[in-house]
Amino acid sequence: TTPSSSSSFVTRKVDTDASEGNNKRPPPRAIVLVLGFGGAKPQHVAKYAKLYNDLGCSTVSGTGSNYDIFIDHKGLDAFAKDAVRQVAKLLREKNKHCDDEN
């Protein structure tokens, strides 16, 4: 899996070209959104994202600040919209990949 950043989120896609022997890995089983809050450190959130990657899922992970989550709801709205944008981007890529195969 290769992490890529966009604002405060990290996207990890399942590498379908990684081969063990001659077999390609199947496409991702799911897209999992892993969110940290309450002062969660990014490396701890990344640990859980990696668990899902190891199960064959692509992930979008990020950590919201306490201020955004508990005080400034505009910040929380922006955080949520960014998360949805990242998941939508992965879905578009997945659909394009499926269209290319057919």
Side-chain angles (χ1 to χ4, degrees):
T1 60
T2 306
S4 64
S5 294
S6 174
S7 70
S8 60
F9 286 91
V10 175
T11 302
R12 285 185 170 84
K13 296 183 236 178
V14 172
D15 186 5
T16 56
D17 292 331
S19 59
E20 294 175 11
N22 292 329
N23 299 329
K24 281 188 170 185
R25 292 181 75 181
R29 296 173 51 188
I31 297 172
V32 178
L33 183 59
V34 183
L35 300 176
F37 64 93
K41 294 188 175 169
Q43 66 264 26
H44 297 145
V45 176
K47 175 177 72 171
Y48 290 98
K50 185 181 179 323
L51 290 172
Y52 284 104
N53 281 138
D54 292 346
L55 292 172
C57 301
S58 290
T59 61
V60 174
S61 60
T63 303
S65 72
N66 287 337
Y67 181 80
D68 287 342
I69 292 172
F70 298 114
I71 298 171
D72 179 17
H73 297 292
K74 290 179 186 173
L76 181 58
D77 289 346
F79 179 76
K81 287 177 184 176
D82 195 16
V84 169
R85 273 192 290 273
Q86 296 305 311
V87 171
K89 181 179 174 184
L90 278 176
L91 287 171
R92 283 191 300 271
E93 290 173 5
K94 183 178 178 183
N95 286 337
K96 182 179 181 244
H97 178 72
C98 290
D99 288 344
D100 290 344
E101 287 182 351
N102 294 327

